[in-house]
Amino acid sequence: MPRVAIIGAGPSGLMAAERLSTVDGLEIDIFDAMPSPGRKFLMAGKGGMNISHSEPLPAFVARYGCAAGRIAPLLDAFGPEDLRAWMRGLGIDSFVGSSGRVFPTGMKAAPLLRAWLHRLRTRGVRLHARHRWLGWRDAGPAIHGLRLATPAGEIAVDADAVLLALGGGSWARLGSDGAWLPWLRARGIPVAALKPANCGFDLAWSSHFRERFAGEPVKAVVGSVAGVQRQGEFNITAHGVEGGLIYALSAPLRDALAAQAPVSLTLDLAPGRSLERLTADLARPRGRDTLAKHLRRQAGIEGVKAGLLREFCTPEQLTVAATAAGAIKSLSLPLQAARPLDEAISSAGGVEFAALDERLMLSTHPGLFCAGEMLDWEAPTGGYLLTACLASGFVAGEGIAGWLCR
């Protein structure tokens, strides 16, 4: 009976097992280094499981940037609507939130994961926790002879097909540590360096600003860099900035910093007002108002937004209507570096798509498949990450079934 070994019990590995479990005559084993499966999946759902998005598929696919052409066929095979139907099959309904994001009813990941694992077990899928993949026994293109560290010592596992679904390089404590890179490179498999995605950035705040505003949200602003513009909110941290708006712009910010060019995040602190209107409003006589009161009354700028202006503008600049309005509409925050990879929500880089066929099998290693975040793609938060991980697992599962039954 053909045996399939799946390395990694995250969304893509579990979805591949789901697809394979519908094929008769296969032995399916999932090996994971962690004490229990789906650790990062559960963490992603801790504050509300945003599993997908309801926007039209062309716009959905565009979210994957330069990898959109490679992600599109995966979503054709298992897209957002397929995902929702699959959840219903597990007894978990979903709904679309006001932002268009898709959530399971109840907002939690744990009920979905429990139902999923129960179905896999009833179909005969075997899950082996605390089994850490250590590479192969032998060099060369053969995929057999997997090395696995277990609580009882190292073991060898032979399989007719192998799926690597080991995640990227962020959140190592949940299992995605990127330890697989050197083993794949040693076999000549092209792997792009892992980089932080959906990450925060360092910024040299003054001690006064840091002490006063660290932890504060900056709401209703527009951020832009290198011609890319997004509206949203973010948080001030002790070391810099993070949050939804920053994550949405993290790829161009990170790439510009990697090019060792000076990088600034440009903020419009009052996106609902034109520069001309702001200038006219701020030109009104202050009377006995302080500068802070004048900014609040005439421009709606107070709290952390006022703090940002004072951090990067002189008092003289803020007392002149034209320069104050210009700063409000285009305030530059000089960024220094992306936060470390392990802090990022996800990672970019990984196994290059050029090395894979349409089934996600490595062309130079017949029977060896890759899926999930360990592939070279990235996406913003909002359900796009999980949807593509699940879709890649589905396609890899179909690919393995077709390859074994050829």
Side-chain angles (χ1 to χ4, degrees), residues 192-231:
L194 297 181
K195 301 175 288 187
N198 294 298
C199 60
F201 291 85
D202 290 334
L203 198 157
W205 301 123
S206 66
S207 57
H208 170 77
F209 183 88
R210 182 185 302 109
E211 292 166 7
R212 174 68 180 81
F213 294 109
E216 289 286 323
V218 183
K219 297 185 177 183
V221 296
V222 170
S224 58
V225 60
V228 181
Q229 189 177 86
R230 296 286 185 272
Q231 184 162 356

Side-chain angles (χ1 to χ4, degrees), residues 52-350:
S52 193
H53 203 285
S54 63
E55 69 183 349
L57 193 58
F60 195 106
V61 170
R63 299 289 187 175
Y64 298 93
C66 60
R70 299 307 302 260
I71 299 297
L74 309 183
L75 298 177
D76 287 340
F78 189 85
E81 289 305 315
D82 300 305
L83 192 162
R84 298 183 72 182
W86 165 75
M87 289 171 60
R88 286 194 297 273
L90 287 169
I92 306 293
D93 288 328
S94 60
F95 70 95
V96 179
S98 58
S99 64
R101 299 185 180 202
V102 175
F103 302 88
T105 301
M107 301 287 287
K108 300 298 183 184
L112 174 59
L113 183 61
R114 283 196 298 269
W116 194 4
L117 293 173
H118 176 72
R119 183 156 77 183
L120 290 174
R121 291 188 179 105
T122 60
R123 290 179 177 180
V125 175
R126 298 182 295 245
L127 179 62
H128 309 269
R130 293 189 173 92
H131 281 57
R132 179 178 293 276
W133 184 52
L134 300 176
W136 291 274
R137 288 199 307 266
D138 305 306
I143 64 164
H144 311 289
L146 301 171
R147 296 174 55 214
L148 293 158
T150 80
E154 185 174 321
I155 64 171
V157 170
D158 290 317
D160 299 284
V162 175
L163 171 65
L164 301 180
L166 289 150
S170 63
W171 294 70
R173 68 182 184 277
L174 300 179
S176 298
D177 57 11
W180 47 268
L181 270 81
W183 302 326
L184 269 62
R185 285 176 173 158
R187 290 198 158 216
I189 298 169
V191 181
L194 297 181
K195 301 175 288 187
N198 294 298
C199 60
F201 291 85
D202 290 334
L203 198 157
W205 301 123
S206 66
S207 57
H208 170 77
F209 183 88
R210 182 185 302 109
E211 292 166 7
R212 174 68 180 81
F213 294 109
E216 289 286 323
V218 183
K219 297 185 177 183
V221 296
V222 170
S224 58
V225 60
V228 181
Q229 189 177 86
R230 296 286 185 272
Q231 184 162 356
E233 60 184 73
F234 66 94
N235 295 319
I236 303 296
T237 70
H239 52 70
V241 291
E242 66 179 20
L245 177 63
I246 305 303
Y247 302 154
L249 295 168
S250 63
L253 289 170
R254 176 202 65 217
D255 293 344
L257 285 165
Q260 298 184 334
V263 178
S264 290
L265 170 65
T266 302
L267 294 179
D268 180 349
L269 300 175
R273 300 197 196 190
S274 68
L275 176 61
E276 293 73 19
R277 179 186 167 188
L278 269 176
T279 303
D281 289 341
L282 291 170
R284 293 172 180 168
R286 278 173 52 183
R288 299 176 65 181
D289 286 351
T290 63
L291 177 59
K293 193 171 185 179
H294 188 65
L295 288 170
R296 184 177 71 251
R297 281 186 170 183
Q298 303 302 332
I301 298 296
E302 59 183 328
V304 66
K305 288 185 177 180
L308 284 167
L309 285 177
R310 293 180 183 276
E311 181 77 352
F312 296 106
C313 302
T314 66
E316 292 75 20
Q317 289 173 318
L318 295 179
T319 57
V320 177
T323 55
I328 291 169
K329 296 297 291 181
S330 185
L331 183 68
S332 292
L333 275 58
L335 304 183
Q336 296 179 314
R339 293 297 296 167
L341 174 60
D342 193 46
E343 292 181 15
I345 291 176
S346 57
S347 58

